[in-house]
Amino acid sequence: MLRLRISMEQYKGRHIGCAPGTHAALVDMICRHVKPGSAIDFGAHSGALLTRLADRGFGDLSGCDLDPTRFDVPGAAFHVLDLNKPFAEALGRTFKLITATEVIEHLDSPRHFLSEVHKVLDEDGWLALSLPNVASWQGRVKFLLKGELWGFGERNYRTQRHISPITFEQMVMMLGELGFETVEMGAAGSFSSRWMQVLSFPIRMLMSLMGGAPTEGEAAIFLARRTQPNADLAFPTHYRSRWKGIPDRIGLET
């Protein structure tokens, strides 16, 4: 039978809750810039990402999720936390590295999450995260045909609670505003089988030639360094300031 999609992958027997290849690409990105140290994984699931980080020299590991029953990382601490609520004070410490793969799109307020993360990082700490790549070739085709974002349809809303789509440009600006400098970003991971890759080759090439955000990879991945919030992004110029002097009769401030 012709298979177009492949199954979820595992790492050392631990289930991975994102597109195959995403964890490997994100850890490679981390290791290009970050020296091993303490790490906490938000939305840790089985602990597959922490296990991969441990194999690359990271120690003092912690996981965080709502369900502790699936977590299996010997020697690692575990915290049951609701990331929609304040959590920095509950952790009571800071970390060199924070990871969050396929987490932020489920949250009521990504900005709240990033603000709390900033408090939990060491002064020279790092944040690595992934989320659905709405600019992928599949995403561009879906938007062209239906005017809807890939990964954020009704099925995704009902079964996965994908409620907060974020583009590459938005993520970089939001990170900057809240106190992070984006050091590297890209796209990785795919459920496409070899048959799917062959059949979709023409459309994938067409989409990649259009430019803009990366189209090859179902997950957008980011690595950012903790810094100071960017006040210029936090307090943008209001659009009405461009209309100074326009008469009040059209209902605008002058």
Side-chain angles (χ1 to χ4, degrees):
M1 184 176 67
L2 187 66
R3 294 185 61 196
L4 299 182
R5 303 281 282 177
I6 60 177
S7 302
M8 307 287 282
E9 66 175 346
Q10 297 185 352
Y11 184 77
K12 294 190 171 180
R14 294 167 178 83
H15 181 265
I16 297 176
C18 53
T22 303
H23 276 191
L26 189 63
V27 170
D28 285 345
M29 181 181 286
I30 292 168
C31 291
R32 283 195 289 272
H33 301 276
V34 185
K35 294 181 179 179
S38 60
I40 184 169
D41 184 27
F42 289 120
H45 193 53
S46 66
L49 182 57
L50 283 175
T51 302
R52 197 184 291 265
L53 286 169
D55 290 344
R56 301 291 287 269
F58 285 83
D60 187 10
L61 304 176
S62 297
C64 166
D65 214 319
L66 290 172
D67 181 6
T69 61
R70 300 169 297 186
F71 188 74
D72 177 27
V73 182
F78 188 86
H79 307 270
V80 177
L81 295 175
D82 183 348
L83 301 179
N84 283 314
K85 299 177 180 179
F87 56 82
E89 186 175 349
L91 285 171
R93 59 162 296 184
T94 61
F95 297 85
K96 178 64 175 287
L97 172 68
I98 290 177
T99 56
T101 55
E102 311 305 296
V103 168
I104 201 167
E105 70 272 15
H106 299 274
L107 300 179
D108 295 340
S109 175
R111 300 170 62 81
H112 161 79
F113 171 72
L114 293 174
S115 295
E116 290 293 293
V117 164
H118 195 268
K119 301 173 187 176
V120 179
L121 277 175
D122 293 345
E123 289 189 4
D124 60 345
W126 295 77
L127 168 65
L129 55 81
S130 74
L131 71 158
N133 179 15
V134 296
S136 68
W137 68 268
Q138 300 101 313
R140 297 182 187 219
V141 170
K142 181 177 181 179
F143 194 82
L144 177 66
L145 297 177
K146 300 183 66 176
E148 296 178 358
L149 295 177
W150 176 84
F152 293 89
E154 181 179 354
R155 181 181 63 83
N156 305 107
Y157 192 105
R158 291 181 179 274
T159 64
Q160 300 171 284
R161 193 157 176 79
H162 280 195
I163 59 174
S164 296
I166 306 172
T167 67
F168 277 91
E169 188 174 43
Q170 286 176 318
M171 179 60 77
V172 171
M173 290 190 295
M174 185 161 54
L175 287 168
E177 178 187 346
L178 297 173
F180 301 90
E181 176 193 359
T182 301
V183 173
E184 188 175 348
M185 61 183 177
S190 176
F191 284 104
S192 295
S193 68
R194 289 187 178 180
W195 278 111
M196 184 62 163
Q197 292 174 9
V198 170
L199 293 173
S200 64
F201 180 79
I203 189 68
R204 289 191 291 116
M205 291 301 99
L206 175 61
M207 294 299 174
S208 66
L209 290 173
M210 293 174 65
T215 60
E216 287 289 333
E218 296 180 22
I221 58 176
F222 298 83
L223 179 67
R225 179 191 295 114
R226 187 185 189 275
T227 182
Q228 295 301 312
N230 186 331
D232 290 337
L233 290 171
F235 300 100
T237 301
H238 194 278
Y239 72 92
R240 287 188 177 180
S241 67
R242 303 176 184 175
W243 299 342
K244 186 176 181 180
I246 294 179
D248 287 333
R249 61 184 171 81
I250 63 173
L252 300 175
E253 297 176 359
T254 57

